[in-house]
Each structure stands twice: as structure tokens, then as C-alpha cells.
Amino acid sequence: MSEVLVRTSDRPPYALAEVWRFRELLRSLVVRNLRVKYQRSTLGFVWTLLNPLLTVTVLVTVFSLFLRIQIPHYWAFLVSGYFAWNFFLQMVNMSTWVLAEHSSLRRSVAFPPEVLVLAASLARMVELSIELGLALIVLALLHHHAVPASWVLLPLLLLLLWLVTLGLSFPVATLGAFYSDVQHALPIALLMLFYLSPVFYSAAQVPERMRPLYFLNPMASVLTLFQQVLYGGEWPGLPLLLGAGAGAVFLATAGYASFHRRKAVFAELV
Amino acid sequence: MLPSIAARPFSLSWSERRTAAAIRLAAVAKRFYHYEHRTTSLREFFIRAVLRRPLAVRRARFSLEGLTLDIRRGESVAFIGRNGSGKSTALRLIAGIYAPSAGEVRVIGRIASVIELGAGFNPELTGRENVELYGAVMGMKRQEIARHFDAIIAFAELGEFVDEPVKFYSSGMQARLAFAVTVAVEPDVLLLDEVLAVGDASFRERCLARLERFRARGGTLVVVSHDLEQVRRLCERAVWLEQGRVRREGPAGEVTRAYEAASGTG
């Protein structure tokens, strides 16, 4: 059990190796996170599924019956992107208080605080996988009447979604540690982003000349990929895939760097 | 600019490993500031950014300066001094919770610490869940935690409270559980801040016995205590801090008596 610890100003690659050393904590936090949510409520997982299902029902009613968006099988289209969006929304919202949740642990034991953000994101990812699993079954049975080959891309899409989400969660967690009103400002920003992202409409409906600007939103390309693969059952174009990949990697790196630069003082902010 | 707390393993030769200090503090400083004003909301942040006002107005409030200390493996050292002299800050620097403002902190081996009442327990989680979480932070495997679990609960005398949230525990129960779980992770370096001041006499005796076993096994102990009698019993060496600086350092008996003489209680 002899290991040597040196505390210096470590750069991100070493900091990530440090997270690996705390994988047991990561695992424990993910399990705890899910257990707290499901064990202590009688309906358990039903609650998590009920919320997106009701939202999807409302959106389908409003946009296919009242506003008449011209997308065939509108429910299938909505299901393809909505769960991914919901993951992003939940996780970014959670990041405002994920550091505060374990503040006493952080003041008593030294461990990399990114573990807390990663654990929250992985717990949400478990939930998303279950939701998507159910969505895939319904889509295959009622929409495609087959299993499209392009669905093998789903793990890659989940990875891109995870990176984009982390890219926003890390700076939000950092801001939340310093400023108390982030949790009030954030829902407004996320609501605006919801309307600027292709969830209840398709990016193809955005006027051509505005699209370069539109796709600056990293969620726009990720959600379009989800819709093309899950709803369309088609192989996405390489430019879109590469663009989304580059955006996701850039955002995750920049977001993590902003967190890493300030994390040393988190334990001193109570 | 700010040094991070991240730790990185590096290799030592076998001979270095045998002779190296367990803890090395080299010219360590930690500075705190009193904030006359601190921007704590985004709204204010934007207003101040537009008006070009400073985000924070601060002046130096307290600092620990020039702490240089080598603690050998198996040694036991106490920090003594008045409230606010920097004892707990020194302990937090060793634990890696605070990053030093200057200097270098180096620790060899697994560190466990009880710095606040309750080893960082989450009040909403049960005693069992907190033990699991703490074990996981210390890098213990699930099976390892499970193996030690009964002994921890027995030592802490929790009984049926083990599945109750920690917020319903008395301060004595929290302290007992914190000590029990910290010792159970079999650390190489154990940091204790005033832990033995709480709990009843019989528990204190059991703690002291447990600490002597820990020392016999070659563990390194660093404590912060106001109980000088206990310091003399438990520690070989004492470091007397005064206003963030080392006033005197040496054999525990000598330093504690000098401290007593200076504070007029001896």
C-alpha cells in the first residue's frame, strides 16, 4: 500500500489519471445516486419514465395536432431526440449543486472533485440507456418494422452526447461553486437552448442561410444525428458526424480546463 | 496560477523508500484573506464587469508561513497552540484538502483523516452508506469494506442506528463512527483533529489503545490537540504554532511544558 503522493500543479492528463485512481469512489457514487433516487420512492423508475413520456405526449399533441408540423410519424421523430435532450437538461441542471451535495466530504478528504461531476453524469447515462432501450424496442416494432443497421452507431452517439454534456456541466459546476444565483439563471438559458435545438422540429426546417449559425449550437448536430439514426434509420453524412465529433471534443476539453483551473479552491469555498 | 490538489504517483528507489520521511513540508505557506466584499452572484458579476469595479476587495487575514517539517515513518507528532494558530490548517495541508499558497507538501502512503466532527459524513445518508462512501474515497474495494464493516460498527457502538441517517446521530456517535472508519481503512498516515475531545472516557481509552496498536504497526500519526496530557502520552514530538508560525518544536514533554509555562496554566 506504499504509494507516493506529490502535490504540484498537475496538468489535465495527470488529473485524469488521478480520477482513475478513484474509480472505486466513482462506482460507489453512481450506485448511491441511483439507489437514492429509486429505492426511496415507491414507484421508482416509473417516475423517471413518466416525466419524459408525459412531455412527449404533450409535445406530440401540440405539434402534430395544433401546429401541424409536417413530419410523418411525428411521435417517432420526437422520441428519437427527446430522451437525449432530457439527459442533457437533467445533467446540466444537476451540475449546479453536485459539488455542494458532498461539501462535508470535500472538506475532510482530498479527492478530485471531477469525480462528483462524472458520477452524476454516469448515473444519468444509466437512466438514459434504459429509456433509450425501451424507445428502441417501440421504434423497431411500430416505426421501422425492422432493426436498422445504422443503429450500431448508437454507442458513438451516446459518447458524443456525453462529451457535449460534460463540456457544459463542468463550467456550470465551476460557476455554481462561486455564484449562488446560477441555479436561477440556468433554467432560463436552458429553455432558450431548447427552442434553439432540434427537439420538436427538424434542423432541415431551419432556413438554409441560417444553418451555419444554427449548427454552432453543439446540441443541434448531436440531436440531428440521433434523429437521423433512430428515426430515419439512415447512415448520417460524414461532415455532420465529423463536425459533431470535433465540437464535442473541443467543448469537453475547454469545459474541463475551466473546471480544472479553479478546482483547487473548491474546498475553501463553503 | 493556483496549484491544484491533484496528486501524482512517482517512483522512489527501494533505499529512498526505507529512509524517506513519511511527510515532508518544505517552506509551506497558506494564506487566507478577509473579504470586505466578495461577488457571490452572477447578476452582481455582470454589473461590476460593466462598471469596471473589482470583483472582490480583500486583505490578508491569516497566514501560515514558512512551515518546514519532516515527519519520519512511524513517528507521532502533535500540533499545539491557541485557537486560530494554524493547527488545523497545517493538518488540512498535509491531508491535501488545501493546496499550499507556496512551498511543497509531500506525503508517502495512504492518508486518512478526521478533521471535522464526522469524517465528512453526508447527514442525509445512513451510517452504513457513509461507511461505504468513506471506504470508497480511501480507495478500498467493496469486499474490503464489507470485511471490515462489522468491526467498524462494533467499535463505534452504533447498534441499530447503522441504518438511520447520520443527521439523527448524537455528536458522540458521529465522532465514534468517524474514528472507527478512519482507523479501519488501515492508513499509513493518520491525521486527527481534536477527535479525542469528544466521546466518553471509556471510548477515549479504547481510542488510545487502538492508536497505540496503529503506532506499533508502524503508522505515522499527526494530531491536533488541546489536551497536553494526551499529547505527552501519545506523541514523541510537538510543534507549537503561534499566529501561523512555528514558535517551538521538539520533544513533546519539553514543548508542551514550555507552552504551559507561557500560557500560565502549568
Side-chain angles (χ1 to χ4, degrees):
Chain A
M1 201 56 250
S2 220
E3 58 196 303
V4 180
L5 307 178
V6 185
R7 300 200 182 83
T8 48
S9 55
D10 275 354
R11 296 199 158 71
Y14 296 113
L16 287 180
E18 187 58 10
V19 170
W20 177 244
R21 240 169 43 85
F22 283 89
R23 59 192 179 278
E24 193 58 37
L25 174 65
L26 190 62
R27 194 201 60 80
S28 174
L29 284 169
V30 171
V31 172
R32 174 115 319 117
N33 194 309
L34 292 168
R35 199 187 285 165
V36 164
K37 195 160 170 186
Y38 295 116
Q39 211 174 43
R40 290 184 192 162
S41 67
T42 22
L43 283 177
F45 185 68
V46 174
W47 285 123
T48 329
L49 212 58
L50 212 58
N51 174 21
L53 270 183
L54 286 176
T55 317
V56 165
T57 312
V58 170
L59 289 175
V60 167
T61 313
V62 170
F63 290 109
S64 63
L65 292 181
F66 306 166
L67 284 172
R68 313 240 166 114
I69 286 187
Q70 298 303 316
I71 294 175
H73 286 109
Y74 184 67
W75 67 268
F77 174 82
L78 205 57
V79 160
S80 303
Y82 186 75
F83 289 109
W85 168 263
N86 196 45
F87 165 83
F88 171 83
L89 179 75
Q90 302 260 326
M91 180 53 208
V92 175
N93 266 324
M94 267 179 88
S95 344
T96 53
W97 48 264
V98 77
L99 290 175
E101 191 188 8
H102 292 283
S103 60
S104 67
L105 193 62
R106 287 188 300 112
R107 282 201 310 275
S108 312
V109 191
F111 65 95
E114 44 270 62
V115 171
L116 295 173
V117 179
L118 291 174
S121 76
L122 291 177
R124 296 286 78 74
M125 192 49 96
V126 170
E127 289 180 301
L128 175 66
S129 307
I130 298 170
E131 292 165 359
L132 274 185
L134 295 173
L136 287 184
I137 295 172
V138 177
L139 283 174
L141 289 177
L142 301 178
H143 179 58
H144 292 293
H145 307 293
V147 177
S150 66
W151 283 10
V152 298
L153 283 181
L154 198 57
L156 178 67
L157 299 194
L158 288 175
L159 177 68
L160 293 180
L161 174 66
W162 188 61
L163 288 176
V164 167
T165 306
L166 283 183
L168 222 69
S169 299
F170 276 123
V172 165
T174 312
L175 276 176
F178 286 96
Y179 302 114
S180 56
D181 57 348
V182 172
Q183 50 178 319
H184 302 300
L186 194 68
I188 306 169
L190 286 173
L191 189 65
M192 275 154 56
L193 200 62
F194 173 71
Y195 286 108
L196 291 174
S197 301
V199 182
F200 62 86
Y201 59 90
S202 154
Q205 291 166 299
V206 175
E208 192 102 40
R209 57 190 170 81
M210 291 174 79
R211 257 179 243 165
L213 196 65
Y214 184 78
F215 274 101
L216 281 182
N217 168 11
M219 278 306 277
S221 44
V222 171
L223 289 170
T224 301
L225 283 170
F226 269 92
Q227 288 158 355
Q228 286 183 356
V229 171
L230 293 189
Y231 169 73
E234 58 203 45
W235 295 93
L238 206 55
L240 181 64
L241 207 54
L242 289 179
V249 170
F250 170 77
L251 200 66
T253 312
Y256 178 64
S258 75
F259 181 87
H260 182 77
R261 260 181 59 203
R262 293 169 185 86
K263 69 177 180 181
V265 295
F266 287 168
E268 292 163 37
L269 300 164
V270 180
Chain B
M1 215 172 67
L2 286 162
S4 84
I5 319 169
R8 162 165 39 126
F10 84 98
S11 55
L12 273 185
S13 74
W14 188 77
S15 62
E16 270 179 312
R17 210 173 269 264
R18 265 188 47 198
T19 54
I23 301 168
R24 169 164 286 172
L25 303 173
V28 169
K30 181 68 193 174
R31 303 183 185 105
F32 291 102
Y33 301 92
H34 170 76
Y35 284 83
E36 264 146 33
H37 182 83
R38 183 174 218 163
T39 302
T40 54
S41 76
L42 280 177
R43 190 177 61 98
E44 200 191 334
F45 172 85
F46 287 123
I47 294 172
R48 287 184 164 260
V50 169
L51 297 178
R52 296 171 180 273
R53 295 267 171 77
L55 288 181
V57 181
R58 65 181 196 178
R59 58 185 155 81
R61 183 192 59 182
F62 167 78
S63 62
L64 185 67
E65 296 286 344
L67 184 59
T68 296
L69 189 67
D70 269 6
I71 300 176
R72 287 191 323 277
R73 174 125 38 113
E75 204 177 5
S76 81
V77 176
F79 283 108
I80 60 171
R82 304 176 51 168
N83 287 334
S85 58
K87 307 183 297 288
S88 298
T89 302
L91 221 53
R92 279 201 164 90
L93 283 163
I94 296 173
I97 296 160
Y98 287 167
S101 309
E104 199 190 45
V105 178
R106 184 194 273 201
V107 178
I108 300 179
R110 175 141 80 170
I111 316 173
S113 54
V114 185
I115 287 180
E116 285 180 11
L117 175 68
F121 291 148
N122 183 334
E124 300 299 325
L125 298 180
T126 67
R128 180 188 303 275
E129 289 168 332
N130 269 301
V131 168
E132 285 167 5
L133 200 59
Y134 189 81
V137 185
M138 299 310 300
M140 286 170 93
K141 298 265 168 293
R142 252 173 306 173
Q143 304 87 309
E144 230 181 310
I145 299 169
R147 198 151 41 80
H148 287 98
F149 190 78
D150 290 339
I152 294 172
I153 299 308
F155 191 94
E157 298 175 326
L158 277 194
E160 288 142 33
F161 275 90
V162 63
D163 287 313
E164 296 284 330
V166 163
K167 62 183 172 190
F168 296 129
Y169 287 18
S170 69
S171 58
M173 283 166 79
Q174 281 198 38
R176 291 204 299 268
L177 184 59
F179 183 85
V181 70
T182 311
V183 177
V185 301
E186 295 180 351
D188 302 305
V189 176
L190 185 56
L191 311 174
L192 300 176
D193 190 348
E194 288 293 354
V195 175
L196 303 179
V198 282
D200 51 32
S202 92
F203 177 69
R204 274 208 298 277
E205 270 316 305
R206 284 194 298 133
C207 284
L208 288 171
R210 190 72 187 73
L211 286 178
E212 271 153 22
R213 248 170 62 210
F214 168 77
R215 300 240 11 242
R217 227 191 56 216
T220 309
L221 182 67
V222 184
V223 303
V224 162
S225 183
H226 286 291
D227 184 341
L228 300 175
E229 205 46 61
Q230 218 171 58
V231 167
R232 281 191 283 264
R233 175 171 165 192
L234 213 56
C235 302
E236 298 151 5
R237 198 141 66 101
V239 180
W240 172 7
L241 291 177
E242 199 171 80
Q243 292 177 350
R245 278 156 187 81
V246 176
R247 164 94 180 252
R248 189 163 175 174
E249 190 227 313
E254 209 174 279
V255 176
T256 49
R257 267 179 280 277
Y259 175 67
E260 277 169 339
S263 32
T265 54

